[in-house]
Amino acid sequence: MSSCERWTRSRSASRSSGGTFDQEALRRDLARVEADVADPGLWNDPARAQSVLKSRTRLTEEIEAFQRLEKKVEDAEVCAELAREGEDVAADLKEAVDALRSALDERELEIMLTGEHDAGNAILTIHPGAGGTESQDWAEMLYRMYLRWAEGHGYRVEALDYQKGDEAGIKSSTLLVKGKDAYGFLRAESGVHRLVRISPFDSSGRRHTSFASVFAYPDLDDEIEVAIEEKDLRVDTYRSSGAGGQHVNVTDSAVRVTHLPTGIVASCQNERSQHRNRDMAMKILRARLYDLERRKRDEKRAAEEGAKKDIDFGSQIRSYVLQPYTLVKDHRTGFERGDVQRVLDGDIDDFIKAFLLRRTRPAAGGQAEASPTSR
């Protein structure tokens, strides 16, 4: 324990408890929700009970987030106070300030998430573009990147569908990312991603350009109705590939559902029964149809998030260049990073933040008023 932490605990013990106005308002709201939960009659209405429990979870998480932020502010204040008194706490002060800055950045991102489903889980699909093995390998690199990002944020991930490529990589994949704000963050990744590198599959060592599409959809609550008629569906079963690791079931129970009017296809092979796989495939289909209708009503958002674009040149939202130089650049915001490997290892928060800043505070000419500083 650092000197600053010891002083913080000592000072906290002597301070009266209290909080900001926002925290007090949240606590009052939580008290009202807790009263609803304690009402035996609540459980006669399952839909309302589910809504109340979700509210309790959200309010509890908000209060805990405020408390964590307050703790980091207090740590930094104590370190600064000790430094002014001549204590040798320079290293502790830097650590406390860095932790506070990181917490403030995270809180800023959360405040930007104001969409209807931003706070919920996300369904993430990854598909290679034209280019065979090259693009399929690139799609698998993106799959790994998002797994790393999710793990770094404490999200739980289920591989709902994973189709191996013929030689390498993947033909398609679908992930369910569970956790607070998962959809709000991952919607920033929707669009076409471009890779430039010396191909490991080219014996001549030539440079290749590959494309893959990434789309995020909200994991819809059961109370949101999406009209789907049985006559509009084609349901196929197939054997799971098993390439997604221990999370993918290798049986003949995998299900692929095609919505004939739109051509949208949803697959699942993660569950142990054909019935469960069909239910999850229908859940994915509902999310995609819901998103399709919402994009039709909001053409501006569709353009920003890269929807309805070919997986080809000129349509990418972000480029990852490994040769002849190293650079990752987001073409929507202009934000770029030189450490490509770090980005491919899941460090994409700066790109997400730049996108959210651009979306919430557009400046003249459509550029973001501010962008995060490269680390």
Side-chain angles (χ1 to χ4, degrees):
M1 182 187 300
S2 69
S3 301
C4 298
E5 289 175 323
R6 286 194 294 270
W7 274 81
T8 299
R9 290 192 176 187
S10 175
R11 190 170 76 166
S12 296
S14 65
R15 291 172 58 178
S16 60
S17 61
T20 64
F21 172 79
D22 288 335
Q23 281 195 72
E24 292 306 318
L26 289 171
R27 291 182 189 280
R28 288 194 296 270
D29 290 342
L30 181 58
R32 286 193 289 268
V33 170
E34 292 287 7
D36 288 339
V37 172
D39 179 9
L42 173 68
W43 309 102
N44 296 328
D45 185 345
R48 179 169 174 265
Q50 183 182 25
S51 177
V52 170
L53 291 175
K54 287 180 61 178
S55 295
R56 181 172 67 173
T57 299
R58 178 184 60 82
L59 289 167
T60 300
E61 289 175 345
E62 285 287 317
I63 292 170
E64 290 174 350
F66 268 114
Q67 291 173 338
R68 288 193 298 270
L69 187 57
E70 276 191 333
K71 174 64 167 56
K72 287 180 170 57
V73 170
E74 190 173 0
D75 287 345
E77 288 177 342
V78 169
C79 281
E81 182 179 328
L82 290 173
R84 285 193 295 269
E85 293 174 356
E87 296 283 345
D88 183 13
V89 293
D92 292 335
L93 177 58
K94 181 181 184 303
E95 183 180 344
V97 171
D98 288 345
L100 176 58
R101 182 181 292 113
S102 177
L104 287 171
D105 286 345
E106 183 178 345
R107 186 62 183 162
E108 183 181 16
L109 284 176
E110 291 175 353
I111 292 172
M112 294 177 192
L113 303 179
T114 58
E116 182 181 2
H117 303 289
D118 281 358
N121 302 334
I123 296 171
L124 193 73
T125 65
I126 304 171
H127 296 278
T133 301
E134 287 288 341
S135 292
Q136 290 174 10
D137 187 57
W138 172 223
E140 187 172 43
M141 291 169 67
L142 288 171
Y143 178 91
R144 175 183 176 274
M145 182 179 80
Y146 291 117
L147 283 181
R148 288 289 190 90
W149 175 84
E151 290 169 359
H153 285 266
Y155 291 129
R156 290 179 294 134
V157 180
E158 294 181 18
L160 303 181
D161 187 47
Y162 189 102
Q163 300 296 315
K164 286 181 60 176
D166 295 328
E167 298 179 31
I170 56 176
K171 293 181 178 179
S172 69
S173 66
T174 302
L175 297 172
L176 175 59
V177 183
K178 295 182 176 181
K180 184 176 181 293
D181 300 324
Y183 175 64
F185 291 140
L186 286 173
R187 65 186 300 189
E189 297 300 295
S190 289
V192 177
H193 296 243
R194 170 178 174 256
L195 173 70
V196 180
R197 65 171 175 175
I198 300 296
S199 171
F201 306 102
D202 188 334
S203 58
S204 300
R206 292 173 294 185
R207 191 164 66 243
H208 285 248
T209 300
S210 307
F211 298 88
S213 68
V214 176
F215 286 97
Y217 305 95
D219 181 19
L220 299 179
D221 294 330
D222 292 337
E223 62 261 25
I224 297 177
E225 294 186 6
V226 178
I228 302 177
E229 297 189 33
E230 196 68 28
K231 65 181 180 64
D232 292 334
L233 301 178
R234 185 179 74 238
V235 180
D236 302 304
T237 59
Y238 60 98
R239 185 173 181 81
S240 304
S241 65
Q246 63 180 343
H247 303 294
V248 177
N249 178 31
V250 186
T251 69
D252 293 314
S253 62
V255 174
R256 180 184 298 111
V257 179
T258 304
H259 186 249
L260 299 176
T262 61
I264 292 176
V265 179
S267 304
C268 183
Q269 57 179 321
N270 180 59
E271 304 296 340
R272 291 291 177 182
S273 71
Q274 191 176 113
H275 177 72
R276 292 286 300 277
N277 277 325
R278 188 183 192 281
D279 286 345
M280 183 56 70
M282 289 298 297
K283 185 182 185 70
I284 298 169
L285 179 61
R286 288 176 60 243
R288 295 189 63 179
L289 289 173
Y290 178 88
D291 188 71
L292 175 64
E293 290 303 313
R294 186 169 58 176
R295 284 192 282 112
K296 285 180 179 179
R297 298 192 301 265
D298 192 352
E299 291 299 325
K300 179 180 179 180
R301 186 179 69 82
E304 288 179 350
E305 298 194 6
K308 298 182 180 179
K309 290 186 176 181
D310 293 331
I311 313 177
D312 206 340
F313 282 97
S315 64
Q316 65 270 7
I317 64 165
R318 190 179 301 154
S319 293
Y320 307 70
V321 182
L322 300 178
Q323 293 286 342
Y325 52 89
T326 57
L327 183 72
V328 181
K329 180 173 182 178
D330 195 296
H331 302 289
R332 301 164 299 178
T333 65
F335 181 72
E336 57 188 42
R337 289 265 302 274
D339 190 345
V340 181
Q341 191 55 54
R342 185 170 173 177
V343 174
L344 292 175
D345 283 338
D347 189 4
I348 59 174
D349 284 342
D350 284 346
F351 293 95
I352 292 173
K353 182 175 181 179
F355 174 81
L356 293 174
L357 282 169
R358 179 183 183 273
R359 190 181 67 176
T360 56
R361 297 203 299 269
Q367 297 299 314
E369 289 182 357
S371 63
T373 302
S374 296
R375 291 195 291 266

